[in-house]
Amino acid sequence: MTEAPLATLAEHATIWLAAQRRGLPPPALVLADAMAGRLEALAPQLARLDSRSPAAASLRKLIAEELPALVQGWRMVPIPARRIRHADGRTPDEHLVNGLQIINAELGRASEQLGKTTLDDIAVQGRYLELKYSDTGHAI
């Protein structure tokens, strides 16, 4: 996924996520479904995002690096050890679910922020048109 064009990153991530479902604990499956929905909603926004922007770099890192690292790290834990509480009082399954919750929430924030930026752009364009072409400012 790290090499996927930004415009197709969400699609690649959704396919990757679907392939990871086998063996995930039930709460992680619910989160995987939620993330697939968020990625689908984020796809058009990613397609319009400048790939050199800080937002693009942050989303690429989250989706293409941090999400796979979380799941692959969990998969490396032997199955019997995934439900054993460790020094911090959590199981690897709980760490996985917590990490997926954080990524899912961040995808939601990113989608909201990118959507807000689009709405702001529309508002600015509308205001510009009002000023330029309203009764007080005949530009034609």
Side-chain angles (χ1 to χ4, degrees), residues 81-134:
R82 291 180 185 165
R83 291 178 184 84
I84 296 172
R85 297 208 179 277
H86 292 271
D88 64 357
R90 292 171 148 181
T91 67
D93 282 358
E94 290 169 340
H95 280 290
L96 172 68
V97 169
N98 183 60
L100 292 175
Q101 287 172 333
I102 292 167
I103 291 171
N104 186 45
E106 188 57 32
L107 289 172
R109 279 190 290 278
S111 183
E112 183 179 304
Q113 183 60 41
L114 291 174
K116 184 178 181 286
T117 300
T118 301
L119 292 173
D120 290 347
D121 291 346
I122 291 168
V124 167
Q125 182 65 26
R127 184 65 182 137
Y128 164 78
L129 292 171
E130 286 174 7
L131 291 171
K132 185 172 183 176
Y133 297 108
S134 70

Side-chain angles (χ1 to χ4, degrees), residues 51-96:
S51 62
R52 298 166 296 181
S53 71
S58 177
L59 282 166
R60 180 177 294 284
K61 183 169 181 67
L62 178 69
I63 295 168
E65 295 176 27
E66 292 167 346
L67 174 60
L70 173 67
V71 175
Q72 290 164 355
W74 173 82
R75 288 213 182 274
M76 292 176 67
V77 176
I79 293 172
R82 291 180 185 165
R83 291 178 184 84
I84 296 172
R85 297 208 179 277
H86 292 271
D88 64 357
R90 292 171 148 181
T91 67
D93 282 358
E94 290 169 340
H95 280 290
L96 172 68

